[in-house]
Amino acid sequence: MLELDFVRLVMFLRWLESAILDLGDEMHKFYARICSTGDLGLRLLWHIIHLFVSIWYFVVGLMNTLESFLISSGLFKRYRDLDISKVKYLAVVIDSEEALQTLNVLQLLRWLAAIGLRNVCLYDKEGVLKISQEALKLWLKSERMSNETTGGPLLDPKNISLEVISFSDGKHAVTKAANVLLKKHYLNGNTEKPNLTESDMAEALGKIGHGGAEPDLMLIYGPARCHLGFPAWRIRYTEMVHMGPLKSMKFGALMKAIHRYTMVHQNYGT
Amino acid sequence: MEKQSSNRATQLIEGLGSSLRRCICSVLSVGPVPKHIAFIMDGNRRYAKKQNLEAGAGHRFGFLALMNILKYCYELGVKYVTIYAFSIDNFKRRPEEVQSTMQLIQEKIEGLIEKESIINRYGVRVHFCGNLKLLSEPVKLAAEKAMNATACNSKAVLSICIAYTSTDEIVHAVEEACKEKRDEFRALDKSGAGYGLSGLGENATDRNSPLIDTADVEKHMYMAVAPDPDIIIRTSGETRLSNFLLWQSSSSLLYSPRVLWPDIGFWHLVRAVLDFQRNFAYMEKKRKES
């Protein structure tokens, strides 16, 4: 009798165990479905928010295009009397894929020359512009000469001094300067300089041909506002402005960016 | 009675605000969330002038804004936050202003390691990045104490850049890399490897392979405690970096809202993260290329 009861008890307990496990499975499936619906809901919300953001940027883009058109047509007085002397050195950062549009780069340089800028530094990460720099310089020179010979009335594109750099002129240049300083001050055995200063660094960079001037203003042509590795040593106080993709560059937007720069007041930390 | 009910009302509003923030954070988390955000806290003095406060008061409001922003960042899941607290250039300000700012900084550092502070609530490890030798003794001690007290925290990291400029950081890193290489060569000399330090200097032109490489320099940077920032936010609409993280920002999205630092809020952070998510694919590609 006792044995039969014991067997029945064990069977009952086993049935209970399987029922509980089944229930657990069902609850887990239900929870996963809620989560995935919840997840789906969150994903939908995320896409909706980004859709609104894209619409907002589209509208802002349209307004900027209209403003650029009005600026180019000379409607605003303040853009006509631009004090270009404030921009002593201009840097232009172009996304490497967009830098392949050499004709657009040339047009940009023509505009910069027309505005009156004399010292321009072109930068792209991969070094695409270094490959096309000879062609660019040749084109600009030939245009200048043809303008002089035909007596072109409008533009007087004086010689624009062009510096073209890439990513290797940034961190790698500092590393090369570090090696120069290592050999000069630390491996001589007798004299040991206690503390390196910023002027030591600047001197070392100049010695290896990477001592360019610090740009006042940097125009970034690309999808995002990012300086893409422009030599760190030279951009301490550089104003960085995002101009959008190169293919949709506008003369009015260029004028607006330069005008805004001329209105900026820097404390330099004080 | 009135005070109780107004307290309760504030608590209710704060509770609602925090629930709303949590909802927004869970939606934002569907997309990529930045691992590291850096802030240039510009506009405290302009805020004080705008609100007709006395000179140093703007920084106090700025500190409150900072605590809020840190809370929002850690709620969103941003692991590394860096702030530009005091630049080496700022030492050029009037001595009374520098003195009062330093006193405020010391006071706030000491407050950070108290039990109820946000640092302990979120398990934040604090680093002070910069040329700490330029700080006065009490501030330096407070900084070291805070670093030691939070050394065991591992959930998040707060890097406070104080007496910092990027150019000073680069020079310091180069100097440390040079000293390390020199010590390596001295050790080789001692073990009789036969180079001879002076010989190395003379044969410098023969050795074309570089002795120091970029990784050697980067590991001695003050900011080596964090990965490169994903977003750098500078308030007050200024578009320059003012000698902040110039080396580390090659793949950083720069965002310059016009708001003054004490007025910054959750929505500005949301806007920055949305921008980051829009440009994520492009920035990742650029990061992989470096």
Side-chain angles (χ1 to χ4, degrees):
Chain A
M1 271 293 280
L2 255 152
E3 263 188 36
L4 216 62
D5 279 339
F6 182 65
V7 165
R8 275 207 196 116
L9 180 63
V10 165
M11 280 176 64
F12 173 69
L13 286 173
R14 281 205 182 131
W15 172 86
L16 194 59
E17 182 191 21
S18 74
I20 288 176
L21 284 173
D22 281 343
L23 182 62
D25 268 344
E26 287 302 313
M27 280 182 66
H28 182 80
K29 275 187 208 152
F30 183 63
Y31 180 65
R33 207 180 299 158
I34 289 206
C35 273
S36 67
T37 337
D39 262 352
L40 272 173
L42 283 178
R43 279 191 177 278
L44 191 64
L45 270 174
W46 184 82
H47 282 290
I48 289 175
I49 289 179
H50 272 282
L51 180 66
F52 278 125
V53 171
S54 300
I55 293 175
W56 161 256
Y57 273 116
F58 179 70
V59 170
V60 167
L62 281 177
M63 286 173 29
N64 282 339
T65 309
L66 179 63
E67 190 184 15
S68 298
F69 174 70
L70 292 174
I71 293 173
S72 315
S73 52
L75 201 68
F76 300 114
K77 185 171 184 294
R78 59 175 182 265
Y79 295 112
R80 279 182 268 150
D81 313 324
L82 217 54
D83 181 12
I84 202 66
S85 62
K86 277 197 173 181
V87 185
K88 296 185 190 61
Y89 204 76
L90 178 79
V92 181
V93 169
I94 306 181
D95 173 56
S96 298
E97 276 176 29
E98 298 187 7
L100 293 166
Q101 307 161 19
T102 319
L103 288 176
N104 281 341
V105 178
L106 181 65
Q107 176 67 302
L108 179 64
L109 288 174
R110 278 197 208 110
W111 284 348
L112 294 175
I115 293 176
L117 288 153
R118 297 289 155 250
N119 298 301
V120 172
C121 174
L122 287 180
Y123 171 88
D124 85 285
K125 196 166 183 184
E126 309 290 311
V128 167
L129 290 171
K130 276 185 173 170
I131 298 170
S132 45
Q133 74 171 311
E134 287 309 321
L136 288 168
K137 284 178 180 165
L138 217 65
W139 255 322
L140 283 173
K141 193 171 170 186
S142 71
E143 279 178 14
R144 184 168 52 94
M145 277 164 54
S146 78
N147 256 344
E148 280 169 5
T149 51
T150 59
L154 307 154
L155 307 172
D156 176 22
K158 291 197 183 71
N159 213 1
I160 197 169
S161 125
L162 206 60
E163 182 192 357
V164 181
I165 54 174
S166 70
F167 190 73
S168 58
D169 298 290
K171 291 187 183 180
H172 297 303
V174 168
T175 312
K176 273 191 254 172
N179 282 298
V180 166
L181 290 166
L182 174 71
K183 284 165 191 162
K184 185 175 174 192
H185 295 294
Y186 291 87
L187 295 185
N188 278 335
N190 33 5
T191 53
E192 186 181 299
K193 198 156 182 200
N195 282 318
L196 284 179
T197 60
E198 289 183 28
S199 49
D200 290 325
M201 191 69 208
E203 192 193 316
L205 282 167
K207 219 185 252 183
I208 54 174
H210 290 284
E214 291 187 32
D216 306 295
L217 175 63
M218 176 193 284
L219 303 176
I220 300 172
Y221 283 95
R225 182 164 168 249
C226 169
H227 65 72
L228 298 175
F230 194 97
W233 197 258
R234 297 168 65 176
I235 48 173
R236 291 181 302 164
Y237 304 107
T238 309
E239 303 284 339
M240 300 178 191
V241 180
H242 184 215
M243 306 295 290
L246 189 68
K247 64 178 189 289
S248 49
M249 62 182 192
K250 289 178 190 54
F251 186 69
L254 194 58
M255 297 283 280
K256 182 176 171 190
I258 293 175
H259 170 78
R260 206 176 251 178
Y261 170 75
T262 59
M263 307 295 284
V264 153
H265 166 72
Q266 283 209 31
N267 282 331
Y268 297 100
T270 53
Chain B
M1 270 300 273
E2 263 186 41
K3 201 175 178 185
Q4 251 186 1
S5 63
S6 81
N7 266 346
R8 214 168 281 167
T10 345
Q11 276 179 351
L12 191 66
I13 293 175
E14 269 176 31
L16 276 173
S18 134
S19 308
L20 181 61
R21 276 201 314 271
R22 247 177 290 145
C23 285
I24 308 264
C25 285
S26 53
V27 176
L28 283 180
S29 307
V30 170
V33 171
K35 286 194 220 46
H36 181 181
I37 301 184
F39 293 94
I40 302 180
M41 308 185 291
D42 196 7
N44 293 323
R45 293 188 294 179
R46 264 170 282 184
Y47 179 84
K49 215 184 262 183
K50 197 173 86 171
Q51 308 282 343
N52 293 319
L53 304 165
E54 59 170 44
H59 294 295
R60 291 191 180 268
F61 281 97
F63 182 77
L64 290 172
L66 172 64
M67 289 298 110
N68 285 331
I69 281 289
L70 286 181
K71 183 170 65 176
Y72 305 149
C73 283
Y74 297 133
E75 277 175 4
L76 188 56
V78 178
K79 184 163 179 199
Y80 298 89
V81 177
T82 301
I83 59 170
Y84 200 10
F86 199 84
S87 161
I88 294 179
D89 292 334
N90 294 150
F91 280 115
K92 290 188 270 184
R93 290 182 179 173
R94 290 184 346 264
E96 318 85 64
E97 194 181 337
V98 175
Q99 172 79 332
S100 77
T101 312
M102 281 292 148
Q103 257 170 353
L104 177 70
I105 288 177
Q106 186 187 340
E107 186 189 310
K108 295 307 174 191
I109 293 175
E110 284 160 2
L112 276 180
I113 51 179
E114 274 164 22
K115 266 213 178 84
E116 294 308 312
S117 77
I118 195 173
I119 297 299
N120 288 321
R121 211 177 343 144
Y122 291 98
V124 183
R125 181 168 181 182
V126 179
H127 290 282
F128 285 89
C129 305
N131 197 348
L132 302 183
K133 292 195 278 252
L134 298 174
L135 295 172
S136 62
E137 208 50 42
V139 181
K140 206 181 348 165
L141 283 172
E144 277 162 16
K145 190 170 164 198
M147 283 196 277
N148 289 332
T150 58
C152 300
N153 293 345
S154 57
K155 288 216 196 92
V157 174
L158 173 64
S159 309
I160 302 178
C161 290
I162 187 166
Y164 172 95
T165 54
S166 228
T167 41
D168 179 76
E169 180 187 30
I170 293 172
V171 170
H172 173 261
V174 164
E175 190 179 336
E176 291 299 306
C178 286
K179 284 184 185 158
E180 188 188 47
K181 259 313 139 150
R182 178 203 59 197
D183 293 342
E184 261 178 47
F185 281 120
R186 278 200 181 142
L188 277 172
D189 251 359
K190 277 208 180 101
S191 69
Y195 278 128
L197 281 178
S198 53
L200 203 63
E202 280 163 18
N203 292 331
T205 47
D206 293 354
R207 286 185 66 94
N208 284 322
S209 55
L211 302 167
I212 297 177
D213 63 20
T214 311
D216 290 329
V217 174
E218 283 187 328
K219 72 175 186 236
H220 290 290
M221 292 267 170
Y222 296 132
M223 281 300 299
V225 294
D228 286 350
D230 295 303
I231 313 176
I232 299 183
I233 300 178
R234 179 176 185 148
T235 49
S236 327
E238 304 293 342
T239 55
R240 55 190 179 271
L241 289 175
S242 292
N243 224 333
F244 181 58
L245 301 185
L246 304 177
W247 180 275
Q248 293 85 351
S249 50
S250 326
S251 314
S252 306
L253 193 66
L254 307 174
Y255 177 52
S256 298
R258 284 214 199 106
V259 67
L260 299 174
W261 175 257
D263 284 326
I264 195 172
F266 180 66
W267 298 107
H268 300 104
L269 188 65
V270 168
R271 171 81 194 271
V273 173
L274 285 172
D275 262 352
F276 168 78
Q277 291 180 338
R278 273 172 68 84
N279 290 300
F280 181 72
Y282 173 73
M283 302 302 293
E284 268 303 285
K285 197 169 76 155
K286 292 294 140 185
R287 203 162 290 137
K288 288 201 175 89
E289 283 167 5
S290 20

